[in-house]
Amino acid sequence: KQEVTQIPAALSVPEGENLVLNCSFTDSAIYNLQWFRQDPGKGLTSLLLIQSSQREQTSGRLNASLDKSSGRSTLYIAASQPGDSATYLCAVDNDYKLSFGAGTTVTVRA
Amino acid sequence: GAVVSQHPSWVICKSGTSVKIECRSLDFQATTMFWYRQFPKQSLMLMATSNEGSKATYEQGVEKDKFLINHASLTLSTLTVTSAHPEDSSFYICSAKGLAGGHNEQFFGPGTRLTVL
């Protein structure tokens, strides 16, 4: 059974600092990995999807890397802003289903 | 594109009653839809996978007689929580995959907050 772990569980940084969020998974036979953002009481917003054959994906200030062999992905958010405050979830697709981590709750202080 | 809606966004009901939650893919046809539940400060747990026109596949530990799932069309799936109890209070989120299915991206709805009194 796939286990997905996200460390740290919570992170507080001053505005402008770069954010580094980590995700690890136990079964490396994945098809893709996805990063989501979730605001309190809301649904999920997809940020980046990395196919298993890719090493990274970039969108604006966001960059996600994937090392399938070691079972790790990292989400980098450059020059953080207060609007980046949210919970970030990673999810891996294997066996046609998504397994989610518990998330990292980020607070960016103005 | 790829918008998924849920209705209602929140519902409060009395213990023992049944509640139906709808999940719709607004601008694409979805052969597969998924239902998740999320407890406060916890991650999403997959409850069941539904394919249009066939019975849903439930994850281990999920009571299929309590959580009835119907996927009657390519744009609509419903989750009915039967004889709801306070422990069923949770945030329920659906997602949908397009006709290509497979390992393609899932698109998520905004969620439904269920409170059972």
Side-chain angles (χ1 to χ4, degrees):
Chain A
K1 183 190 171 202
Q2 179 73 269
E3 300 287 341
V4 182
T5 303
Q6 290 188 245
I7 294 173
L11 188 59
S12 178
V13 299
E15 182 176 4
E17 193 164 301
N18 296 331
L19 289 164
V20 180
L21 309 179
N22 298 299
C23 172
S24 62
F25 46 94
T26 54
D27 183 352
S28 62
I30 67 169
Y31 292 94
N32 58 57
L33 181 145
Q34 212 165 344
W35 283 94
F36 295 90
R37 169 185 172 137
Q38 185 175 32
D39 293 294
K42 304 293 185 181
L44 304 182
T45 300
S46 179
L47 299 175
L48 292 167
L49 184 150
I50 311 175
Q51 300 290 351
S52 62
S53 58
Q54 298 175 317
R55 299 282 297 191
E56 66 176 346
Q57 277 284 355
T58 298
S59 176
R61 294 184 294 112
L62 277 60
N63 173 277
S65 66
L66 173 64
D67 184 343
K68 207 172 76 159
S69 61
S70 66
R72 286 189 284 190
S73 176
T74 302
L75 177 66
Y76 301 90
I77 303 177
S80 62
Q81 304 168 358
D84 294 328
S85 297
T87 296
Y88 293 82
L89 300 167
C90 76
V92 296
D93 178 353
N94 50 358
D95 199 23
Y96 300 95
K97 296 186 288 190
L98 289 182
S99 299
F100 282 84
T104 295
T105 298
V106 171
T107 302
V108 180
R109 309 185 303 272
Chain B
V3 178
V4 176
S5 70
Q6 282 185 241
H7 179 81
S9 56
W10 59 270
V11 57
I12 301 172
C13 69
K14 292 182 179 179
S15 187
T17 60
S18 294
V19 174
K20 181 184 284 188
I21 302 169
E22 292 185 349
C23 176
R24 292 181 185 272
S25 56
L26 298 185
D27 51 4
F28 68 102
Q29 293 181 313
T31 51
T32 306
M33 288 185 169
F34 303 85
W35 287 94
Y36 299 83
R37 67 186 298 182
Q38 185 179 34
F39 291 107
K41 299 194 183 301
Q42 294 188 28
S43 191
L44 276 74
M45 298 299 296
L46 179 64
M47 299 174 65
T49 303
S50 74
N51 292 294
E52 185 265 339
S54 62
K55 290 184 178 180
T57 302
Y58 291 80
E59 294 298 301
Q60 192 172 8
V62 178
E63 298 176 62
K64 61 181 180 181
D65 294 331
K66 181 167 188 61
F67 299 100
L68 301 179
I69 292 171
N70 185 289
H71 191 163
S73 77
L74 286 172
T75 59
L76 173 65
S77 177
T78 60
L79 167 68
T80 301
V81 183
T82 62
S83 186
H85 291 285
E87 58 266 30
D88 298 323
S89 299
S90 190
F91 193 54
Y92 292 88
I93 304 178
C94 73
S95 69
K97 279 189 184 181
L99 285 178
H103 297 288
N104 287 337
E105 187 174 356
Q106 292 182 28
F107 301 98
F108 285 79
T112 296
R113 171 77 57 195
L114 170 63
T115 300
V116 185
L117 303 176

